[in-house]
Amino acid sequence: MAIKDLPLAAKTAVDGFMAGMHASRVKGAGLEFSQYRSYQPGDDLRWLDWKMYARSDRYYIRESEMETSIDISFLIDASNSMLHTEDGISKIDYARYLAASLAYLAHLQGDAAGLAVLHNGRLLTMTARREAQHMARLYYQLEKIQPGGTFTEPAHYRDLFSGPHNRQLLVFITDYYEQSNEITTLLQTLSALGHEILVFHLLGDKERRGDFRGYDAVEDLETGQRLELTGIADTDYPSKLEQYNDHLRTQLLQRRIYYRQLLLQEPLDTALRDFLNQRNKIRK
């Protein structure tokens, strides 16, 4: 979080995660050589063929048939509740860094990365593409996110499904704060279309434990409703929240939607590992 440059932060997180993994898992195993082409600005320098350069004194990129590449879209909940902050980290900032890191990892694997931001009742979308210039635009859109309002209305979900419905891996990052099952409705719709879905549910550690020391009341960031905290320390809030999350996990798994809870205080390693597992699953 100390690195304010989003692409650099993503690269740092992924490189650190990948450092201890076997090389075959980080370089896109299963790619078959296809042809050479001239180097273009923005191409990944790792695919330069130095033997061709030595023979011709020109730069060539070694292209491969990416038979195992897939389309991946990152869906970001940018409703006002994502402004919840603990230990100097807001949920939307965590979501921003998480999505950037996963997109960078997808790009390394040769996958096409897309983006959908749901906020203020509206929807911003970027079609999944593989080009380096597209990744720069994706990072820029992540940096620009300004949470606001409530979750996007179901009437706008159709915008997510325009064009051919090729099977994709959809990574949804959310605090799962919903008023009338709007998030669950979205996920059920996506699942019915045959997409593979990975949900990262963001929580703060204090939020999970019900640690409201020093506060007399809390305010709902989306509705403005205030809740007095008198006597809450004597309730079983933590266990009720755990029961709710367990029910949520079961409900999603029944629809073949993978669910993972992440704390704002956790590093990204767990999420990166889950992402790779789900990516490998859809490739098969």
Side-chain angles (χ1 to χ4, degrees):
M1 297 296 292
I3 303 175
K4 300 307 179 185
D5 182 89
L6 196 59
L8 177 59
K11 184 178 186 303
T12 301
V14 172
D15 288 351
F17 169 72
M18 293 299 231
M21 300 182 69
H22 192 275
S24 64
R25 296 186 62 186
V26 305
K27 293 188 177 178
L31 304 185
E32 293 184 7
F33 172 70
S34 175
Q35 63 183 0
Y36 291 105
R37 65 169 173 80
S38 297
Y39 170 79
Q40 299 293 328
D43 285 336
D44 193 331
L45 296 178
R46 294 177 308 153
W47 302 116
L48 279 175
D49 193 298
W50 296 106
K51 291 182 179 179
M52 283 291 292
Y53 172 73
R55 291 197 297 266
S56 65
D57 199 31
R58 296 183 61 187
Y59 294 109
Y60 286 95
I61 292 291
R62 182 183 175 93
E63 285 193 325
S64 300
E65 295 291 344
M66 296 184 181
E67 297 176 348
T68 58
S69 64
I70 59 177
D71 287 355
I72 301 171
S73 287
F74 299 93
L75 283 65
I76 310 295
D77 176 358
S79 57
N80 215 43
S81 60
M82 291 287 283
L83 288 172
H84 175 78
T85 302
E86 290 188 12
D87 299 328
I89 306 171
S90 69
K91 289 181 177 179
I92 193 62
D93 278 339
Y94 194 97
R96 214 187 310 266
Y97 280 83
L98 174 58
S101 299
L102 295 177
Y104 176 73
L105 179 54
H107 183 65
L108 287 182
Q109 299 289 324
D111 298 325
L115 179 67
V117 180
L118 302 99
H119 66 146
N120 279 320
R122 301 192 305 273
L123 179 66
L124 177 148
T125 59
M126 291 179 64
T127 304
R129 297 176 64 181
R130 293 181 178 84
E131 296 86 356
Q133 294 87 344
H134 173 75
M135 291 300 298
R137 291 191 291 269
L138 187 145
Y139 293 136
Y140 174 72
Q141 291 298 335
L142 285 173
E143 290 173 337
K144 278 185 59 179
I145 294 175
Q146 295 293 331
T150 58
F151 195 77
T152 300
E153 295 296 322
H156 296 282
Y157 294 166
R158 64 178 179 271
D159 296 331
L160 284 172
F161 318 133
S162 58
H165 300 322
N166 295 326
R167 188 174 181 228
Q168 297 186 58
L169 172 58
L170 305 180
V171 181
F172 184 41
I173 305 173
T174 177
D175 63 351
Y176 221 108
Y177 182 76
E178 56 181 359
Q179 297 288 338
S180 51
N181 292 323
E182 59 270 17
I183 295 179
T184 301
T185 299
L186 169 61
L187 291 173
Q188 290 174 348
T189 304
L190 294 171
S191 178
L193 289 171
H195 297 301
E196 192 76 26
I197 305 174
L198 172 57
V199 175
F200 288 119
H201 180 188
L202 305 186
L203 281 172
D205 185 50
K206 294 178 182 177
E207 177 186 15
R208 181 186 62 170
R209 293 185 287 108
D211 182 0
F212 303 111
R213 287 173 294 182
Y215 295 92
D216 298 321
V218 293
E219 180 179 334
D220 189 313
L221 289 170
E222 295 189 11
T223 67
Q225 180 181 0
R226 286 174 57 85
L227 174 67
E228 300 296 327
L229 295 177
T230 305
I232 195 170
D234 301 324
T235 69
D236 56 351
Y237 164 88
S239 62
K240 286 185 177 180
L241 179 61
E242 184 177 358
Q243 290 173 15
Y244 168 78
N245 290 334
D246 286 343
H247 171 74
L248 182 62
R249 180 185 295 104
T250 300
Q251 184 182 27
L252 294 178
L253 287 177
Q254 287 174 347
R255 294 185 174 273
R256 303 177 64 83
I257 297 173
Y258 185 87
Y259 170 95
R260 168 72 75 175
Q261 186 180 115
L262 293 176
L263 297 180
L264 299 181
Q265 292 79 4
E266 283 187 89
L268 299 179
D269 292 37
T270 297
L272 292 168
R273 188 173 294 107
D274 287 341
F275 171 77
L276 282 179
N277 288 337
Q278 293 303 110
R279 180 192 181 277
N280 291 336
K281 178 180 177 182
I282 198 174
R283 280 173 50 194
K284 295 177 181 178

